[in-house]
Amino acid sequence: MKFFVDTADLKEIKDLASTGLLDGVTTNPSLVAKSGAANFVELIREIAAIVPGPVSAEVGATDYETMYEEAKVLAKIAKNIAVKVPLTPAGLKVCKQLSENGTMVNVTLCFSAAQAILAAKAGATFVSPFVGRLDDIGSDGMNLISEICQVYSNYPAFKTEVLVASVRSPQHVVSAALLGAHVATIPPKVIRQLFDHPLTDKGIAQFVADWQKCGQKILP
Ligand code: E4P
């Protein structure tokens, strides 16, 4: 399973990239606004230089013509850019054209298996179903991941990867992995939570204490 970090915060991206466990980055307009960056294109250029894997950069427009022009600018920033477009008729039209030209596309704001089928037919590299936002309205986000994974596995010609988005907890990551989702995009805080277990902390404390007691050394 690939891990993308869901943030536009350069400091967080650099820190998490140094773990060697990061496969990519996703941003969206809200995350860019939160980062306080002055220049979106420059921000994406910097992120793409830190992480070699796919960096999702989202268009701002909603009409086909403007979206397509924006997408061309974003795609030129670096080889590892995945242009992010919304799951609308115009977004999928842009997706089809970009993917035919070899540009990676992340189709975002997916909330149904029907939409995920459309994204795959449009040649999306990634489809982003938002599990947390579905849970928030009393629906079952992980059930959507299950449906999409099952549908895609019925059609080997579909090459679109399921990118689980709107992740809120380590349990979301584990559930998505159990279902065989290709990617999870995870907020920095949740990536750090993945490392945590009280028995790991307790075990380390015990080993450190015993090691000091026995006076052994590894380094000369
Ligand atoms: C990622 O591509 C999405 O934009 C993101 O995961 C949305 O998460 P949220 O529902 O926490 O805003």
Side-chain angles (χ1 to χ4, degrees):
M1 182 185 222
K2 285 176 271 190
F3 278 2
F4 293 176
V5 65
D6 199 20
T7 185
D9 183 320
L10 283 170
K11 195 169 161 286
E12 292 278 33
I13 294 167
K14 280 181 196 156
D15 185 47
L16 290 164
S18 74
T19 65
L21 300 173
L22 207 58
D23 301 297
V25 178
T26 53
T27 66
N28 64 34
S30 309
L31 293 171
V32 171
K34 195 172 155 196
S35 78
N39 184 317
F40 174 51
V41 170
E42 284 313 312
L43 173 69
I44 295 297
R45 200 186 312 281
E46 278 194 69
I47 296 174
I50 299 168
V51 181
V55 173
S56 290
E58 190 157 343
V59 295
T62 53
D63 66 288
Y64 165 74
E65 285 79 12
T66 320
M67 234 193 276
Y68 188 58
E69 290 308 310
E70 290 179 346
K72 284 193 287 185
V73 172
L74 295 176
K76 277 197 197 124
I77 295 175
K79 281 200 167 72
N80 55 332
I81 297 297
V83 176
K84 209 170 172 191
V85 297
L87 209 155
T88 60
L92 292 188
K93 195 170 160 186
V94 173
C95 173
K96 184 108 173 61
Q97 283 188 280
L98 294 178
S99 53
E100 278 171 2
N101 294 335
T103 298
M104 287 190 285
V105 185
N106 177 357
V107 175
T108 189
L109 291 166
C110 173
F111 293 96
S112 76
Q115 290 179 319
I117 294 170
L118 291 174
K121 285 183 70 67
T125 316
F126 305 104
V127 66
S128 291
F130 280 34
V131 293
R133 292 193 196 185
L134 281 169
D135 291 352
D136 289 346
I137 61 159
S139 190
D140 182 351
M142 224 29 84
N143 184 54
L144 174 60
I145 302 304
S146 170
E147 283 186 2
I148 298 172
C149 287
Q150 196 180 327
V151 168
Y152 282 9
S153 72
N154 288 344
Y155 296 93
F158 285 170
K159 300 296 179 210
T160 304
E161 295 194 3
V162 181
L163 195 172
V164 180
S166 190
V167 163
R168 303 276 160 82
S169 66
Q171 192 50 50
H172 270 155
V173 179
V174 174
S175 300
L178 285 168
L179 292 168
H182 306 86
V183 193
T185 188
I186 317 171
K189 182 180 146 210
V190 178
I191 293 186
R192 294 196 177 95
Q193 287 174 339
L194 291 170
F195 287 90
D196 294 343
H197 197 287
L199 290 179
T200 304
D201 298 339
K202 193 177 165 198
I204 288 173
Q206 181 73 59
F207 288 157
V208 167
D210 289 344
W211 190 246
Q212 280 166 356
K213 249 190 265 165
C214 75
Q216 298 283 352
K217 277 190 174 169
I218 296 169
L219 297 177

Short mmCIF file of all heavy atoms in Angstrom, two decimals, residues 56-105:
data_model
loop_
_atom_site.label_atom_id
_atom_site.label_comp_id
_atom_site.label_asym_id
_atom_site.label_seq_id
_atom_site.Cartn_x
_atom_site.Cartn_y
_atom_site.Cartn_z
N SER A 56 -0.20 15.59 -6.05
CA SER A 56 -1.47 16.04 -6.63
C SER A 56 -1.64 17.54 -6.46
O SER A 56 -1.54 18.06 -5.35
CB SER A 56 -2.65 15.34 -5.94
OG SER A 56 -2.68 13.98 -6.29
N ALA A 57 -1.91 18.21 -7.59
CA ALA A 57 -2.14 19.66 -7.60
C ALA A 57 -3.49 19.90 -8.26
O ALA A 57 -3.71 19.47 -9.40
CB ALA A 57 -1.03 20.36 -8.37
N GLU A 58 -4.38 20.56 -7.55
CA GLU A 58 -5.77 20.66 -8.01
C GLU A 58 -6.04 21.93 -8.80
O GLU A 58 -5.57 23.02 -8.46
CB GLU A 58 -6.70 20.62 -6.77
CG GLU A 58 -8.16 20.47 -7.10
CD GLU A 58 -8.97 19.88 -5.94
OE1 GLU A 58 -8.37 19.28 -5.01
OE2 GLU A 58 -10.19 19.99 -5.97
N VAL A 59 -6.84 21.78 -9.85
CA VAL A 59 -7.27 22.95 -10.62
C VAL A 59 -8.21 23.79 -9.75
O VAL A 59 -8.83 23.28 -8.83
CB VAL A 59 -8.01 22.53 -11.92
CG1 VAL A 59 -7.07 21.80 -12.88
CG2 VAL A 59 -9.23 21.66 -11.61
N GLY A 60 -8.30 25.09 -10.09
CA GLY A 60 -9.18 25.97 -9.32
C GLY A 60 -10.51 26.21 -9.99
O GLY A 60 -11.52 26.48 -9.33
N ALA A 61 -10.52 26.08 -11.32
CA ALA A 61 -11.74 26.37 -12.08
C ALA A 61 -12.68 25.18 -12.09
O ALA A 61 -12.30 24.05 -11.73
CB ALA A 61 -11.37 26.74 -13.52
N THR A 62 -13.92 25.43 -12.52
CA THR A 62 -14.87 24.31 -12.64
C THR A 62 -15.37 24.14 -14.09
O THR A 62 -15.98 23.12 -14.41
CB THR A 62 -16.09 24.51 -11.70
OG1 THR A 62 -16.64 25.80 -11.96
CG2 THR A 62 -15.68 24.40 -10.24
N ASP A 63 -15.13 25.13 -14.94
CA ASP A 63 -15.55 24.97 -16.34
C ASP A 63 -14.44 24.29 -17.14
O ASP A 63 -13.24 24.43 -16.81
CB ASP A 63 -15.89 26.34 -16.97
CG ASP A 63 -14.66 27.20 -17.09
OD1 ASP A 63 -14.18 27.69 -16.05
OD2 ASP A 63 -14.12 27.36 -18.22
N TYR A 64 -14.83 23.56 -18.18
CA TYR A 64 -13.88 22.73 -18.93
C TYR A 64 -12.70 23.53 -19.50
O TYR A 64 -11.54 23.16 -19.30
CB TYR A 64 -14.62 21.98 -20.07
CG TYR A 64 -13.66 21.42 -21.08
CD1 TYR A 64 -12.90 20.30 -20.78
CD2 TYR A 64 -13.49 22.05 -22.32
CE1 TYR A 64 -11.97 19.81 -21.69
CE2 TYR A 64 -12.58 21.56 -23.23
CZ TYR A 64 -11.81 20.44 -22.92
OH TYR A 64 -10.90 19.97 -23.81
N GLU A 65 -13.00 24.64 -20.19
CA GLU A 65 -11.93 25.37 -20.88
C GLU A 65 -10.85 25.86 -19.89
O GLU A 65 -9.66 25.64 -20.11
CB GLU A 65 -12.48 26.57 -21.67
CG GLU A 65 -13.21 26.22 -22.96
CD GLU A 65 -14.63 25.72 -22.71
OE1 GLU A 65 -15.14 25.88 -21.56
OE2 GLU A 65 -15.23 25.16 -23.65
N THR A 66 -11.30 26.52 -18.83
CA THR A 66 -10.31 27.07 -17.87
C THR A 66 -9.58 25.94 -17.14
O THR A 66 -8.36 25.99 -16.94
CB THR A 66 -11.01 28.00 -16.84
OG1 THR A 66 -12.00 28.77 -17.50
CG2 THR A 66 -10.03 28.91 -16.17
N MET A 67 -10.36 24.90 -16.79
CA MET A 67 -9.74 23.77 -16.10
C MET A 67 -8.62 23.17 -16.96
O MET A 67 -7.53 22.87 -16.47
CB MET A 67 -10.81 22.68 -15.88
CG MET A 67 -10.94 22.22 -14.46
SD MET A 67 -11.92 20.71 -14.34
CE MET A 67 -13.56 21.32 -14.33
N TYR A 68 -8.88 23.02 -18.24
CA TYR A 68 -7.89 22.42 -19.14
C TYR A 68 -6.64 23.29 -19.24
O TYR A 68 -5.51 22.78 -19.21
CB TYR A 68 -8.50 22.16 -20.52
CG TYR A 68 -7.59 21.35 -21.42
CD1 TYR A 68 -7.15 20.09 -21.03
CD2 TYR A 68 -7.16 21.86 -22.63
CE1 TYR A 68 -6.29 19.35 -21.84
CE2 TYR A 68 -6.31 21.13 -23.46
CZ TYR A 68 -5.87 19.88 -23.05
OH TYR A 68 -5.00 19.15 -23.83
N GLU A 69 -6.84 24.62 -19.34
CA GLU A 69 -5.68 25.53 -19.40
C GLU A 69 -4.87 25.45 -18.10
O GLU A 69 -3.65 25.40 -18.12
CB GLU A 69 -6.14 26.98 -19.66
CG GLU A 69 -6.70 27.22 -21.06
CD GLU A 69 -5.76 26.73 -22.18
OE1 GLU A 69 -4.57 27.08 -22.14
OE2 GLU A 69 -6.22 25.97 -23.06
N GLU A 70 -5.57 25.45 -16.98
CA GLU A 70 -4.88 25.34 -15.68
C GLU A 70 -4.13 24.01 -15.58
O GLU A 70 -3.00 23.96 -15.10
CB GLU A 70 -5.89 25.43 -14.53
CG GLU A 70 -6.50 26.80 -14.33
CD GLU A 70 -7.52 26.85 -13.18
OE1 GLU A 70 -7.95 25.78 -12.70
OE2 GLU A 70 -7.88 27.96 -12.78
N ALA A 71 -4.78 22.96 -16.03
CA ALA A 71 -4.18 21.62 -15.95
C ALA A 71 -2.87 21.57 -16.73
O ALA A 71 -1.88 20.97 -16.27
CB ALA A 71 -5.16 20.58 -16.50
N LYS A 72 -2.84 22.24 -17.89
CA LYS A 72 -1.61 22.24 -18.70
C LYS A 72 -0.47 22.93 -17.94
O LYS A 72 0.67 22.48 -17.97
CB LYS A 72 -1.86 22.90 -20.05
CG LYS A 72 -2.64 21.97 -21.00
CD LYS A 72 -2.63 22.47 -22.43
CE LYS A 72 -3.54 23.67 -22.60
NZ LYS A 72 -3.68 24.13 -23.97
N VAL A 73 -0.79 24.02 -17.25
CA VAL A 73 0.23 24.74 -16.47
C VAL A 73 0.73 23.84 -15.33
O VAL A 73 1.94 23.69 -15.12
CB VAL A 73 -0.36 26.06 -15.87
CG1 VAL A 73 0.64 26.70 -14.90
CG2 VAL A 73 -0.74 27.02 -16.99
N LEU A 74 -0.20 23.21 -14.63
CA LEU A 74 0.19 22.36 -13.49
C LEU A 74 1.03 21.17 -13.96
O LEU A 74 2.05 20.84 -13.34
CB LEU A 74 -1.06 21.85 -12.75
CG LEU A 74 -1.91 22.93 -12.05
CD1 LEU A 74 -3.17 22.30 -11.44
CD2 LEU A 74 -1.11 23.66 -10.98
N ALA A 75 0.63 20.56 -15.06
CA ALA A 75 1.34 19.36 -15.55
C ALA A 75 2.78 19.69 -15.93
O ALA A 75 3.66 18.82 -15.85
CB ALA A 75 0.60 18.77 -16.74
N LYS A 76 3.03 20.94 -16.31
CA LYS A 76 4.39 21.33 -16.73
C LYS A 76 5.32 21.61 -15.56
O LYS A 76 6.53 21.76 -15.75
CB LYS A 76 4.31 22.59 -17.61
CG LYS A 76 4.00 22.27 -19.07
CD LYS A 76 4.33 23.45 -19.96
CE LYS A 76 3.63 23.27 -21.30
NZ LYS A 76 2.76 24.38 -21.64
N ILE A 77 4.78 21.70 -14.35
CA ILE A 77 5.62 22.07 -13.21
C ILE A 77 6.73 21.04 -12.98
O ILE A 77 7.88 21.37 -12.74
CB ILE A 77 4.77 22.24 -11.92
CG1 ILE A 77 3.82 23.42 -12.08
CG2 ILE A 77 5.66 22.42 -10.70
CD1 ILE A 77 2.85 23.60 -10.91
N ALA A 78 6.36 19.77 -13.05
CA ALA A 78 7.35 18.69 -12.83
C ALA A 78 6.77 17.39 -13.38
O ALA A 78 5.56 17.27 -13.58
CB ALA A 78 7.65 18.54 -11.35
N LYS A 79 7.67 16.41 -13.57
CA LYS A 79 7.24 15.12 -14.14
C LYS A 79 6.32 14.34 -13.20
O LYS A 79 5.54 13.51 -13.63
CB LYS A 79 8.47 14.26 -14.44
CG LYS A 79 9.19 14.64 -15.72
CD LYS A 79 10.07 13.48 -16.20
CE LYS A 79 10.56 13.69 -17.61
NZ LYS A 79 11.57 14.75 -17.70
N ASN A 80 6.46 14.60 -11.87
CA ASN A 80 5.69 13.81 -10.90
C ASN A 80 4.39 14.48 -10.46
O ASN A 80 3.84 14.13 -9.41
CB ASN A 80 6.55 13.45 -9.68
CG ASN A 80 7.16 14.65 -9.00
OD1 ASN A 80 7.41 15.67 -9.64
ND2 ASN A 80 7.43 14.55 -7.71
N ILE A 81 3.89 15.41 -11.27
CA ILE A 81 2.61 16.05 -10.92
C ILE A 81 1.44 15.18 -11.38
O ILE A 81 1.43 14.68 -12.52
CB ILE A 81 2.48 17.44 -11.61
CG1 ILE A 81 3.57 18.40 -11.12
CG2 ILE A 81 1.07 18.03 -11.39
CD1 ILE A 81 3.52 18.72 -9.64
N ALA A 82 0.48 15.01 -10.48
CA ALA A 82 -0.81 14.41 -10.86
C ALA A 82 -1.81 15.55 -10.79
O ALA A 82 -2.03 16.12 -9.71
CB ALA A 82 -1.20 13.29 -9.90
N VAL A 83 -2.39 15.88 -11.92
CA VAL A 83 -3.36 16.98 -11.94
C VAL A 83 -4.65 16.47 -11.31
O VAL A 83 -5.16 15.40 -11.65
CB VAL A 83 -3.62 17.47 -13.38
CG1 VAL A 83 -4.71 18.54 -13.38
CG2 VAL A 83 -2.33 18.02 -13.99
N LYS A 84 -5.17 17.27 -10.36
CA LYS A 84 -6.37 16.84 -9.64
C LYS A 84 -7.57 17.60 -10.19
O LYS A 84 -7.57 18.83 -10.25
CB LYS A 84 -6.17 17.16 -8.15
CG LYS A 84 -6.89 16.28 -7.19
CD LYS A 84 -6.36 16.60 -5.78
CE LYS A 84 -7.16 15.90 -4.73
NZ LYS A 84 -6.81 16.41 -3.40
N VAL A 85 -8.57 16.84 -10.60
CA VAL A 85 -9.79 17.45 -11.16
C VAL A 85 -11.00 16.90 -10.42
O VAL A 85 -10.99 15.76 -9.96
CB VAL A 85 -9.93 17.16 -12.69
CG1 VAL A 85 -8.78 17.77 -13.48
CG2 VAL A 85 -10.05 15.68 -12.97
N PRO A 86 -12.06 17.70 -10.31
CA PRO A 86 -13.26 17.22 -9.62
C PRO A 86 -14.04 16.21 -10.46
O PRO A 86 -13.96 16.23 -11.70
CB PRO A 86 -14.09 18.49 -9.42
CG PRO A 86 -13.66 19.39 -10.52
CD PRO A 86 -12.22 19.10 -10.79
N LEU A 87 -14.80 15.36 -9.76
CA LEU A 87 -15.59 14.34 -10.47
C LEU A 87 -16.89 14.96 -11.01
O LEU A 87 -17.96 14.82 -10.41
CB LEU A 87 -15.88 13.15 -9.56
CG LEU A 87 -16.04 11.85 -10.35
CD1 LEU A 87 -15.73 10.64 -9.53
CD2 LEU A 87 -17.36 11.73 -11.07
N THR A 88 -16.72 15.68 -12.11
CA THR A 88 -17.85 16.32 -12.82
C THR A 88 -17.68 15.97 -14.30
O THR A 88 -16.60 15.52 -14.71
CB THR A 88 -17.79 17.85 -12.67
OG1 THR A 88 -16.54 18.30 -13.25
CG2 THR A 88 -17.87 18.28 -11.21
N PRO A 89 -18.72 16.19 -15.12
CA PRO A 89 -18.54 15.94 -16.55
C PRO A 89 -17.35 16.72 -17.13
O PRO A 89 -16.54 16.16 -17.89
CB PRO A 89 -19.87 16.40 -17.16
CG PRO A 89 -20.87 16.18 -16.04
CD PRO A 89 -20.12 16.53 -14.77
N ALA A 90 -17.20 17.97 -16.74
CA ALA A 90 -16.07 18.77 -17.25
C ALA A 90 -14.75 18.23 -16.73
O ALA A 90 -13.76 18.11 -17.48
CB ALA A 90 -16.24 20.23 -16.83
N GLY A 91 -14.71 17.86 -15.45
CA GLY A 91 -13.48 17.32 -14.87
C GLY A 91 -13.05 16.03 -15.55
O GLY A 91 -11.87 15.81 -15.84
N LEU A 92 -14.02 15.17 -15.85
CA LEU A 92 -13.68 13.90 -16.49
C LEU A 92 -13.27 14.09 -17.96
O LEU A 92 -12.46 13.32 -18.49
CB LEU A 92 -14.85 12.92 -16.37
CG LEU A 92 -15.13 12.42 -14.95
CD1 LEU A 92 -16.18 11.31 -14.97
CD2 LEU A 92 -13.87 11.93 -14.24
N LYS A 93 -13.82 15.13 -18.58
CA LYS A 93 -13.41 15.43 -19.96
C LYS A 93 -11.92 15.85 -19.97
O LYS A 93 -11.13 15.40 -20.80
CB LYS A 93 -14.29 16.57 -20.50
CG LYS A 93 -14.25 16.75 -21.99
CD LYS A 93 -15.34 17.73 -22.41
CE LYS A 93 -15.04 18.31 -23.77
NZ LYS A 93 -15.99 19.36 -24.15
N VAL A 94 -11.56 16.68 -18.98
CA VAL A 94 -10.15 17.08 -18.84
C VAL A 94 -9.31 15.84 -18.52
O VAL A 94 -8.23 15.64 -19.10
CB VAL A 94 -9.99 18.15 -17.73
CG1 VAL A 94 -8.52 18.44 -17.46
CG2 VAL A 94 -10.72 19.43 -18.11
N CYS A 95 -9.81 15.01 -17.65
CA CYS A 95 -9.09 13.79 -17.25
C CYS A 95 -8.77 12.94 -18.48
O CYS A 95 -7.64 12.47 -18.66
CB CYS A 95 -9.94 13.00 -16.26
SG CYS A 95 -9.28 11.38 -15.86
N LYS A 96 -9.75 12.73 -19.32
CA LYS A 96 -9.57 11.87 -20.51
C LYS A 96 -8.46 12.43 -21.40
O LYS A 96 -7.58 11.70 -21.84
CB LYS A 96 -10.90 11.78 -21.26
CG LYS A 96 -10.93 10.85 -22.45
CD LYS A 96 -11.76 9.61 -22.11
CE LYS A 96 -11.99 8.67 -23.27
NZ LYS A 96 -10.84 8.11 -23.88
N GLN A 97 -8.53 13.75 -21.62
CA GLN A 97 -7.52 14.35 -22.51
C GLN A 97 -6.13 14.28 -21.92
O GLN A 97 -5.17 13.94 -22.61
CB GLN A 97 -7.90 15.80 -22.79
CG GLN A 97 -9.02 15.90 -23.80
CD GLN A 97 -9.25 17.33 -24.20
OE1 GLN A 97 -9.90 18.06 -23.46
NE2 GLN A 97 -8.71 17.72 -25.33
N LEU A 98 -6.02 14.61 -20.64
CA LEU A 98 -4.70 14.59 -20.00
C LEU A 98 -4.13 13.18 -19.96
O LEU A 98 -2.95 12.97 -20.26
CB LEU A 98 -4.78 15.12 -18.57
CG LEU A 98 -5.13 16.59 -18.37
CD1 LEU A 98 -5.21 16.90 -16.89
CD2 LEU A 98 -4.13 17.51 -19.04
N SER A 99 -4.96 12.21 -19.62
CA SER A 99 -4.43 10.85 -19.50
C SER A 99 -4.02 10.30 -20.86
O SER A 99 -3.05 9.56 -20.97
CB SER A 99 -5.40 9.93 -18.77
OG SER A 99 -6.66 9.96 -19.37
N GLU A 100 -4.75 10.71 -21.90
CA GLU A 100 -4.34 10.28 -23.26
C GLU A 100 -2.98 10.87 -23.65
O GLU A 100 -2.25 10.30 -24.44
CB GLU A 100 -5.41 10.67 -24.27
CG GLU A 100 -6.55 9.64 -24.29
CD GLU A 100 -7.76 10.05 -25.12
OE1 GLU A 100 -7.75 11.14 -25.73
OE2 GLU A 100 -8.74 9.28 -25.12
N ASN A 101 -2.65 12.03 -23.04
CA ASN A 101 -1.35 12.66 -23.32
C ASN A 101 -0.27 12.22 -22.34
O ASN A 101 0.81 12.80 -22.30
CB ASN A 101 -1.46 14.19 -23.25
CG ASN A 101 -2.35 14.71 -24.36
OD1 ASN A 101 -2.50 14.07 -25.39
ND2 ASN A 101 -2.95 15.87 -24.13
N GLY A 102 -0.59 11.25 -21.48
CA GLY A 102 0.42 10.71 -20.57
C GLY A 102 0.57 11.47 -19.26
O GLY A 102 1.54 11.24 -18.53
N THR A 103 -0.36 12.38 -18.96
CA THR A 103 -0.29 13.11 -17.69
C THR A 103 -1.06 12.32 -16.63
O THR A 103 -2.16 11.83 -16.90
CB THR A 103 -0.93 14.51 -17.85
OG1 THR A 103 -0.16 15.24 -18.81
CG2 THR A 103 -0.96 15.28 -16.54
N MET A 104 -0.49 12.24 -15.42
CA MET A 104 -1.21 11.57 -14.33
C MET A 104 -2.37 12.46 -13.88
O MET A 104 -2.23 13.68 -13.79
CB MET A 104 -0.29 11.37 -13.12
CG MET A 104 0.76 10.30 -13.30
SD MET A 104 1.59 9.94 -11.71
CE MET A 104 2.63 11.38 -11.53
N VAL A 105 -3.51 11.81 -13.60
CA VAL A 105 -4.69 12.56 -13.15
C VAL A 105 -5.27 11.89 -11.91
O VAL A 105 -5.42 10.67 -11.85
CB VAL A 105 -5.79 12.62 -14.24
CG1 VAL A 105 -6.95 13.51 -13.78
CG2 VAL A 105 -5.23 13.13 -15.56
#
